[in-house]
């Protein structure tokens, strides 16, 4: 039996019939389809989505975004919140609509979060080439802007004929649901092919379940890992995002309690173990806590779980200074398990931790190791309290705003962030209680993720309040999805932190001898020729109101707290606006980040910074 449908209709019907299952829980794989229509998709995928909604023969809800990059962010926020068991599709028109998604694709792939991208392409027949928005390549007629998705996708295909669709779809679903391979999956759809009819076998549309595996470690690999771990006197766990996606928090806690090994976390792993657990050491690396960083410096064995060891986690390979430090890497991706010449334990985080707990029976670190770091942590927590309650004047410090929000939030509330000075302050200071509370996109650290990602997170977890923290720079880059939140009735609380420019890059610039050059939002000054004139007459709060949000302006930490109460009580998307002092003090992570400074320079500030850089660089290591 066959059924006659267009390629786009077949695609929609197929996507609506895909499911994932893990631990006996089954859910739809493709939860819906974000889109922005143009001539490339309006009559193809657009018609198919309309027909699905009108006839009810395929359940795939369409969500209209305001920016294609943002719709990929929203999809990522959603899939991350759902631990990668569910994802969105995104349809875009040809040309700019599609290339707008490239940044989102890179973000998804770097963070290992599934998203199905459906960029439209010029005619497969080339009947009318060059069509509007078609890039012509004099060397080949087979190139389109969608080839730019190849390096940022985990699977990429172009459907030039209807017959190619079934195998491409199966391959795409496999990659989306494979926890080791997942990321952006791109199917480029020529505009004529989308509308082309074909007789499809009925079986293409029967419900299909993709079983998300929990691979167990190979016994020999487990034995090798255990041998290294058992030799450890000062071991440290680095918990990454893989712990959370695998829902391995309980297994992590049980392993830590059984062995006494302290747990540090990465940006993606924060909350895997509650901050006030006696074995929690806080964030590790460049923006981590000095407690975890002191443990890291002397650790003889590092057990990385579900981490890809970014430079922020390893402090650009200076965090671990024990001369004989060895790594054990529990990771579902062999690629990550092999890093730093570690003993590779390729397995699901939960399955691997359960195996390790059994195999490590009888092992426990010395009590003095734990009491030593507990004392350090107690001193550090007092510093965090101070940073949370600085009383900075006249404008509050950012750490006070984060503190007020942290103390205000319930355990199940979610905080979303991505770029600027906040991710660092958050990793160092935030006290996360729930594995899904801390949602900071720091793989791509993409300005503009915040509001769109928060929208996706809230769509995934309507029972949780979502608090988006966004800097003025990120807000200006992509505030547009406030409109989508309003239209969809998806309530967000957006905390808009205005420090008149790039606080983060400003202080980085200063520390590297570049004098905050070009990092403030100011008028160009005719006297200096630089952007160091007066403050700009920009009213971001008024801007947010114009997009349909409720807006509360606050000037003090106290007013900020009251506004948070109001925002929580409201069922409308609310922007809480606050100005902070970008020069307020922040505690030190006692760590480093490798950002090269000019080797030769006519500026004294740069020369000094270069000397400091060269000295710090000497601590950088190869872990072989
Ligand atoms: C899309 C994108 N462009 C550039 C950067 C580099 N960058 C990182 S933080 C930052 C400034 C962010 O400004 P804002 O959102 O106001 O946060 P603040 O640094 O003031 O806390 C820039 C330009 C980035 N991360 N993402
Ligand atoms: Mg700013």
């Amino acid at each position: 039996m066959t059924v006659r449908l267009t390629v786009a209709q077949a695609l929609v019907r197929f996507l609506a019939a895909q499911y994932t299952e893990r631990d006996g829980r089954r859910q739809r794989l493709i939860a819906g389809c974000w889109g922005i229509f143009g001539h490339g998709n309006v009559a193809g995928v657009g018609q198919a989505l309309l027909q699905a909604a009108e006839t009810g023969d395929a359940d795939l809800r369409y969500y209209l975004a305001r920016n294609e990059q943002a719709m990929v962010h929203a999809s990522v926020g959603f899939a991350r919140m759902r631990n990668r068991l569910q994802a969105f599709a995104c349809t875009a028109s040809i040309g700019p609509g599609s290339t707008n998604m490239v940044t989102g694709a890179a973000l998804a792939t770097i963070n290992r979060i599934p998203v199905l991208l459906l960029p439209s392409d010029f005619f497969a027949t080339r009947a009318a080439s060059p069509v509007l928005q078609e890039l012509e390549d004099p060397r080949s007629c087979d190139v389109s802007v969608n080839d730019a998705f190849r390096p940022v996708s985990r699977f990429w295909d172009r459907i030039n004929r209807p017959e190619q669709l079934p195998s491409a779809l199966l391959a795409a679903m496999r990659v989306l649901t494979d926890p080791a391979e997942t990321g952006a999956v791109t199917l480029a759809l020529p505009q004529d092919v989308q509308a082309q009819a074909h007789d499809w076998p009925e079986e293409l549309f029967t419900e299909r379940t993709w079983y998300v595996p929990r691979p167990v470690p190979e016994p020999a690999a487990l034995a090798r890992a255990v041998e290294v771990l058992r030799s450890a006197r000062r071991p440290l766990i680095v918990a990454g995002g893989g712990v959370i996606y695998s829902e391995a928090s309980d297994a992590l806690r049980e392993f830590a309690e059984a062995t006494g090994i302290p747990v540090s976390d990465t940006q993606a792993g924060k909350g895997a173990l509650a901050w006030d657990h006696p074995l929690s050491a806080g964030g590790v690396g460049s923006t981590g806590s000095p407690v975890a960083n002191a443990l890291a410096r002397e650790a003889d064995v590092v057990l990385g779980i579900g981490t890809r060891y970014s430079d922020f986690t390893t402090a650009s390979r200076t965090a671990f200074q024990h001369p004989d430090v060895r790594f054990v890497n529990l990771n579902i991706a062999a690629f990550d398990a092999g890093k730093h010449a570690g003993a590779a334990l390729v397995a699901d985080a939960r399955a691997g931790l359960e195996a390790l707990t059994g195999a490590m029976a009888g092992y426990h670190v010395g009590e003095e190791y734990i009491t030593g770091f507990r004392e350090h942590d107690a001193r550090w927590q007092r510093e965090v309290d101070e940073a949370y309650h600085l009383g900075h004047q006249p404008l509050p410090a950012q750490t006070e705003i984060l503190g007020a929000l942290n103390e205000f939030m319930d355990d199940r509330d979610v905080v979303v962030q991505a770029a600027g000075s906040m991710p660092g302050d958050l990793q160092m200071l935030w006290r996360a209680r729930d594995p899904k509370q801390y949602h900071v996109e720091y793989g791509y650290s993409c300005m503009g993720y915040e509001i769109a990602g928060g929208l996706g997170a809230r769509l995934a977890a309507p029972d949780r309040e979502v608090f988006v923290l966004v800097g003025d720079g990120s807000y200006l880059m992509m505030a547009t999805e406030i409109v989508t939140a309003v239209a969809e009735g998806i309530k967000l609380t957006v905390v808009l932190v205005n420090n008149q420019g790039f606080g983060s890059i400003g202080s980085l610039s200063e520390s590297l001898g570049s004098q905050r050059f070009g990092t403030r939002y100011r008028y160009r000054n005719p006297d200096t020729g630089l952007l160091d004139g007066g403050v700009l007459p920009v009213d971001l709060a008024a801007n947010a109101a114009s997009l349909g949000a409720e807006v509360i302006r606050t000037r003090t930490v106290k007013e900020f707290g009251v506004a948070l109460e109001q925002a929580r009580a409201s069922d409308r998307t609310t922007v809480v606006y606050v100005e902070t002092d970008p020069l307020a003090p922040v505690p030190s992570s006692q760590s480093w980040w490798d950002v090269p400074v000019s080797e030769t320079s006519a500026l004294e500030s740069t020369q000094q910074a270069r000397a400091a850089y060269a000295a710090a660089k000497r601590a950088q290591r190869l872990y072989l």
Side-chain angles (χ1 to χ4, degrees):
M1 282 287 283
T2 58
V3 45
R4 190 159 178 82
L5 296 170
T6 67
V7 165
Q9 290 158 1
L11 169 79
V12 166
R13 193 183 279 196
F14 174 90
L15 293 179
Q18 306 306 304
Y19 290 79
T20 55
E21 187 177 322
R22 185 169 76 177
D23 306 330
R25 284 200 310 268
R26 187 167 178 268
Q27 51 270 307
R28 283 279 298 275
L29 166 55
I30 306 295
C33 185
W34 287 97
I36 293 182
F37 294 127
H39 65 279
N41 58 345
V42 68
V45 173
Q47 190 280 338
L49 288 166
L50 166 68
Q51 180 167 315
E54 294 267 304
T55 63
D57 63 13
D59 172 19
L60 202 70
R61 179 180 280 193
Y62 167 66
Y63 294 85
L64 168 60
R66 268 66 192 172
N67 175 309
E68 291 88 355
Q69 183 188 131
M71 73 193 184
V72 186
H73 294 338
S75 303
V76 167
F78 178 90
R80 174 170 170 168
M81 206 64 195
R82 293 280 171 99
N83 291 325
R84 313 192 292 198
L85 298 170
Q86 290 189 283
F88 264 89
C90 295
T91 173
S93 190
I94 79 166
S98 286
T99 51
N100 265 356
M101 298 198 295
V102 172
T103 295
L107 182 149
T109 295
I110 286 176
N111 286 286
R112 289 83 194 270
I113 301 288
V115 60
L116 177 63
L117 303 178
L118 306 170
S120 301
D121 227 318
F122 63 83
F123 287 61
T125 61
R126 301 173 191 166
S129 281
V131 298
L132 175 67
Q133 302 168 329
E134 176 180 342
L135 175 102
E136 291 177 276
D137 185 336
R139 295 162 303 175
S140 167
C141 298
D142 190 38
V143 171
S144 92
V145 293
N146 289 336
D147 289 280
F149 285 92
R150 288 179 188 262
V152 293
S153 299
R154 286 297 165 117
F155 178 79
W156 186 99
D157 204 357
R158 183 182 279 127
I159 310 301
N160 284 309
R161 294 180 58 92
E163 295 87 336
Q164 296 170 337
L165 186 68
S167 57
L169 284 174
L170 293 183
M173 298 304 111
R174 188 194 67 75
V175 174
L176 282 174
T177 57
D178 180 336
E181 280 189 57
T182 197
V185 165
T186 301
L187 296 180
L189 302 172
Q191 54 184 126
D192 52 344
V193 178
Q194 289 179 40
Q196 195 176 344
H198 183 73
D199 296 311
W200 308 92
E202 283 268 18
E203 304 80 64
L204 181 61
F205 309 113
T206 49
E207 280 189 13
R208 211 171 288 269
T209 303
W210 299 86
Y211 296 94
V212 179
R214 290 193 179 277
V216 295
E218 186 204 2
L222 182 65
R224 286 191 295 270
V226 166
E227 193 186 335
V228 177
L229 283 168
R230 280 191 181 273
S231 74
R233 299 176 58 85
R234 303 184 58 85
L236 176 66
I237 292 170
V238 175
V243 177
I244 292 176
Y245 305 140
S246 161
E247 299 174 89
S249 290
D250 290 345
L252 174 66
R253 194 183 58 248
E254 282 157 23
F255 175 77
E257 287 171 357
T259 57
I261 304 178
V263 178
S264 66
D265 46 31
T266 72
Q267 287 279 10
K270 184 172 284 299
L273 189 66
W275 77 278
D276 53 356
H277 188 282
L279 288 168
S280 169
V284 71
S286 306
T287 55
S289 83
V291 183
N293 284 332
L295 290 174
R297 246 186 311 280
E298 303 200 342
D300 52 0
V301 173
V302 177
L303 170 56
I305 310 171
T307 175
R308 60 190 193 96
Y309 290 113
S310 82
D311 66 343
F312 265 82
T313 297
T314 67
S316 303
R317 304 195 186 192
T318 62
F320 309 109
Q321 285 296 335
H322 189 290
D324 301 316
V325 62
R326 282 181 297 169
F327 293 80
V328 175
N329 303 324
L330 167 54
N331 206 298
I332 197 146
F335 175 72
D336 292 311
K339 287 179 176 172
H340 302 316
L345 202 55
V346 179
D348 165 65
R350 198 172 86 186
L353 276 163
E354 285 165 1
L356 278 175
T357 303
M360 290 290 289
Y363 171 91
H364 202 278
V365 301
E367 279 306 327
E368 68 294 342
Y369 179 49
I370 299 176
T371 43
F373 106 82
R374 293 305 315 150
E375 282 163 21
H376 192 182
D377 192 63
R379 290 198 300 280
W380 166 242
Q381 292 307 332
R382 287 196 289 277
E383 245 188 277
V384 176
D385 285 330
E386 272 169 42
Y388 274 8
H389 303 278
L390 261 191
H392 195 73
Q393 292 290 339
L395 290 176
Q398 180 167 286
T399 58
E400 296 175 84
I401 297 305
L402 303 184
L405 181 63
N406 199 173
E407 287 166 2
F408 171 80
M409 273 175 49
D410 288 341
D411 291 1
R412 282 180 52 80
D413 295 344
V414 180
V415 63
V416 180
Q417 231 285 318
S421 56
M422 281 187 269
D425 291 4
L426 287 167
Q427 201 212 355
M428 184 189 295
L429 304 172
W430 190 266
R431 293 163 166 168
R433 289 179 189 279
D434 179 275
K436 299 311 296 183
Q437 178 177 83
Y438 185 87
H439 186 126
V440 175
E441 187 283 294
Y442 213 62
Y444 211 38
S445 186
C446 185
M447 291 170 75
Y449 175 84
E450 299 87 346
I451 293 170
L455 181 65
R458 176 77 200 221
L459 196 56
D463 57 329
R464 294 174 184 253
E465 285 283 322
V466 171
F467 294 86
V468 172
L469 280 166
V470 61
D472 51 326
S474 279
Y475 180 89
L476 278 169
M477 223 175 253
M478 206 169 341
T480 44
E481 297 321 300
I482 287 178
V483 181
T484 307
V486 170
E488 293 283 356
I490 298 171
K491 182 214 166 175
L492 296 176
T493 298
V494 177
V495 174
L496 170 46
V497 180
N498 187 356
N499 58 12
Q500 312 289 347
F502 305 162
S504 52
I505 308 300
S507 62
L508 180 66
S509 166
E510 188 168 325
S511 74
L512 302 177
S514 289
Q515 306 173 19
R516 295 186 179 259
F517 173 68
T519 62
R520 274 176 293 218
Y521 289 144
R522 295 294 171 106
Y523 278 109
R524 186 165 299 280
N525 180 346
D527 297 332
T528 62
L530 300 175
L531 294 170
D532 61 359
V535 173
L536 299 174
V538 175
D539 187 342
L540 296 181
N543 177 276
S546 79
L547 299 180
E550 212 160 296
V551 174
I552 309 172
R553 294 175 190 260
T554 68
R555 280 163 307 168
T556 62
V557 179
K558 194 153 178 244
E559 285 178 12
F560 179 72
V562 174
L564 289 178
E565 298 279 2
Q566 273 174 266
R568 186 193 285 286
S570 172
D571 57 5
R572 287 185 51 197
T573 286
T574 304
V575 173
V576 178
Y577 176 86
V578 64
E579 292 182 15
T580 58
D581 179 356
L583 304 179
V586 185
S588 166
S589 64
Q590 311 283 335
S591 188
W592 185 66
W593 185 34
D594 190 346
V595 179
V597 179
S598 298
E599 205 167 352
T600 179
S601 162
L603 306 177
E604 205 189 312
S605 63
T606 311
Q607 289 159 10
Q608 280 172 10
R610 175 68 198 188
Y613 174 74
K617 182 99 177 152
R618 283 197 282 277
Q620 198 164 49
R621 300 184 52 185
L622 271 178
Y623 301 115
L624 300 173

